[in-house]
Amino acid sequence: MLEKLAEIEQVGLATLAEIADEAALNQWKVTHLGRSSAIMDLFKNMGEVSKEERGAVGREANQVKQALEAALTQKMAALREVALRRSLSQERLDVTLPGRAIPRGRLHPVTQTLREIYRVFADMGFQVYRSREVETDEFNFQLLNFPPHHPAREMQDSFYIQSQEERGDNPILLRTHTSPGQIRAMREYSAENPENPPPVRIILPGMCYRYEQVSARYESQFTQVEGLAVGRNITFSNLKGTLSDFARRMFGQNVRARFRASHFPFTEPSAEMDIECFLCGGEGCAVCKSTGWLEILGCGMVHPTVLKNGGYDPERYTGFAFGMGPERITMLRRKIEDIRYFWANDLRFLEQF
Ligand SMILES: [Zn+2]
């Protein structure tokens, strides 16, 4: 019997030594220490052992069982140690690696330009006035002194909301410029005090829509920033002073500006403002077409008819207005050659700003 016990211990320890993973270890535990293992069988059948031997066999059996259990505990710890070492070496963190950048959203390049324009005009006392994008022909054209069949209408082909049959003589359309907001703002201000309407100092930013042949230079949607100042004794030199100051604040303290005569139905006289080309310093380059000047905005004194349509007496009030294209300014400053990039939602473009 004692020999059998020695064999049980020997076989148990030998097989245990060969085990290399936890699943095999669990199996070993069932085989060598489980309910139907050889050692447990021996305890169950202790009654068959003679009285003389029973004491010695019992002690020995207990020792074998304890030895097997101790060996099992040791093996378990050893396997855990191996597993821990493996996971430490395989999942090692290299703390010297640079961190992964968190993807951050950015402002659209045109929004950045718009905000800069807002800031410059806010410093000069102008407020932002937001007007509707869906307009009537009356506000988009008629009240701004575009008579029906005026040739300038053809330059601003429109997206109409209604079908040809529904249109009538005051069709609804997507605004082709921010100028209808001039009439809405003036009427809102003059309604406060029709006898003595308050001065107006506003800029009107927003999206405009034209039924254009889309190309590198023309988009069917684009933003505009319109400006309007109406009050007593406002003169053309106020216009020149305000816009020259804008040019310096926006494009640099030393930038020169010039005004050229132009024509718009809603201003009289009208002008276009150029600034010295900031790409070549006025030397002449491909962007300024060797002239040294960049066309930045259109402007003029508010036409008396427009003042009247806004509720301001043109005998007592004067004003100036101007309009510019933030896309064009962004293109010039960022050297972007195709206006279609702005609203094509291509992340490869947008992520550069
Ligand atoms: Zn140039």
Side-chain angles (χ1 to χ4, degrees):
M1 194 54 88
L2 291 173
E3 274 166 39
K4 197 181 174 197
L5 271 169
E7 194 195 324
I8 288 172
E9 184 176 4
Q10 198 197 340
V11 169
L13 292 178
T15 50
L16 185 65
E18 280 165 30
I19 281 168
D21 64 85
E22 214 160 328
L25 189 65
N26 287 332
Q27 188 54 52
W28 181 91
K29 192 179 169 186
V30 172
T31 311
H32 296 271
L33 284 166
R35 222 177 292 161
S36 43
S37 60
I39 186 79
M40 294 315 261
D41 270 349
L42 201 139
F43 278 115
K44 272 181 239 161
N45 301 322
M46 201 58 93
E48 291 165 20
V49 179
S50 66
K51 265 190 181 163
E52 297 76 42
E53 280 185 308
R54 201 173 291 162
V57 169
R59 267 193 306 282
E60 187 60 22
N62 267 325
Q63 271 170 18
V64 168
K65 182 166 174 270
Q66 278 163 16
L68 288 176
E69 280 169 352
L72 173 68
T73 308
Q74 213 179 355
K75 186 74 183 179
M76 222 181 261
L79 282 183
R80 289 217 180 102
E81 176 78 13
V82 169
L84 180 65
R85 277 178 195 287
R86 191 189 301 133
S87 82
L88 280 177
S89 70
Q90 282 176 354
E91 296 157 26
R92 180 182 294 159
L93 289 177
D94 184 349
V95 292
T96 65
L97 279 176
R100 291 189 190 93
I102 298 163
R104 282 199 301 173
R106 293 167 169 80
L107 289 177
H108 191 282
V110 170
T111 305
Q112 293 179 25
T113 303
L114 278 169
R115 291 195 177 183
E116 225 178 311
I117 296 170
Y118 299 164
R119 185 178 48 74
V120 170
F121 282 107
D123 287 349
M124 294 196 267
F126 284 74
Q127 287 187 311
V128 171
Y129 184 94
R130 299 217 177 253
S131 189
R132 59 193 71 183
E133 289 185 20
V134 180
E135 270 296 359
T136 59
D137 185 275
E138 184 189 15
F139 276 86
N140 196 76
F141 293 119
Q142 295 166 34
L143 294 170
L144 290 164
N145 204 29
F146 287 78
H149 314 298
H150 188 285
R153 285 191 178 209
E154 286 167 25
M155 289 164 59
Q156 301 194 2
D157 276 340
S158 315
F159 286 114
Y160 288 95
I161 301 295
Q162 302 143 302
S163 71
Q164 199 109 36
E165 297 78 53
E166 291 171 316
R167 280 181 210 168
D169 43 6
N170 189 21
I172 299 168
L173 48 90
L174 296 178
R175 67 178 175 194
T176 59
H177 49 179
T178 44
S179 310
Q182 289 189 20
I183 301 287
R184 295 202 178 273
M186 278 193 281
R187 285 190 174 181
E188 199 179 304
Y189 280 63
S190 64
E192 286 174 27
N193 188 354
E195 288 309 305
N196 196 15
V200 179
R201 298 276 188 284
I202 51 167
I203 52 169
L204 306 106
M207 193 66 84
C208 303
Y209 306 86
R210 288 187 199 173
Y211 187 51
E212 293 271 9
Q213 180 67 49
V214 174
S215 70
R217 293 195 55 193
Y218 296 101
E219 249 291 15
S220 53
Q221 69 170 79
F222 52 91
T223 60
Q224 257 189 3
V225 176
E226 185 104 0
L228 179 68
V230 178
R232 306 267 189 159
N233 304 318
I234 290 183
T235 64
F236 197 85
S237 58
N238 295 135
L239 176 157
K240 284 182 74 173
T242 304
L243 293 179
S244 301
D245 196 20
F246 162 74
R248 282 191 295 270
R249 291 175 190 231
M250 188 81 187
F251 300 103
Q253 276 307 309
N254 299 318
V255 78
R256 291 194 298 155
R258 72 174 186 188
F259 292 81
R260 285 180 292 109
S262 186
H263 175 77
F264 306 107
F266 39 96
T267 47
E268 183 58 38
S270 304
E272 276 175 78
M273 185 178 84
D274 299 338
I275 59 164
E276 209 169 18
C277 178
F278 49 74
L279 299 164
C280 61
E283 298 279 307
C285 68
V287 177
C288 60
K289 300 191 183 74
S290 308
T291 62
W293 296 94
L294 298 168
E295 189 189 314
I296 290 295
L297 55 84
C299 56
M301 299 305 289
V302 182
H303 196 285
T305 305
V306 175
L307 282 172
K308 203 161 63 199
N309 289 339
Y312 283 74
D313 179 357
E315 298 295 325
R316 294 160 65 208
Y317 292 89
T318 51
F320 64 80
F322 55 87
M324 66 187 86
E327 279 89 341
R328 175 167 163 77
I329 292 171
T330 311
M331 287 170 81
L332 291 170
R333 293 173 124 192
R334 308 275 203 172
K335 300 189 174 71
I336 297 162
E337 288 177 348
D338 194 324
I339 195 170
R340 289 171 290 192
Y341 286 128
F342 288 117
W343 311 111
N345 281 337
D346 187 333
L347 284 178
R348 290 170 302 177
F349 171 76
L350 296 172
E351 279 175 346
Q352 294 177 46
F353 302 96

